[in-house]
Amino acid sequence: MLKVVVKEGENIDRALKRYKRKFRNVKILQELRQRKHFTKPSVAKRAQVQKAAYVEQKFKTED
């Protein structure tokens, strides 16, 4: 469970922004979406390899 302590005199919008950032960093929503349907291990591995190749290619073009 995520907890955000609101400090004395802190704006509620700022606390809400911190909560949203924590929620996004914990990746709860992403995990829920992944659990909605089954992905075969071979498909997941292939997607991971493709993503790694894409990121590597992107960094090569930057240099």
Side-chain angles (χ1 to χ4, degrees):
M1 180 174 193
L2 293 175
K3 293 183 182 179
V4 176
V5 179
V6 180
K7 299 171 186 167
E8 185 70 31
E10 183 181 19
N11 190 356
I12 191 70
D13 292 328
R14 178 67 86 186
L16 186 61
K17 187 175 182 178
R18 283 193 295 134
Y19 174 78
K20 287 180 180 180
R21 189 179 324 126
K22 277 186 177 184
F23 184 80
R24 188 175 51 238
N25 289 343
V26 173
K27 299 182 181 180
I28 294 173
L29 193 61
Q30 184 180 23
E31 184 178 340
L32 284 175
R33 287 180 179 158
Q34 286 177 352
R35 287 177 182 238
K36 274 189 171 180
H37 56 78
F38 178 75
T39 305
K40 289 178 21 179
S42 60
V43 173
K45 186 175 180 181
R46 187 180 326 125
Q48 186 179 15
V49 169
Q50 286 176 342
K51 183 177 179 182
Y54 171 77
V55 170
E56 185 177 342
Q57 183 67 26
K58 189 173 181 181
F59 281 124
K60 277 187 178 180
T61 58
E62 274 187 7
D63 293 339

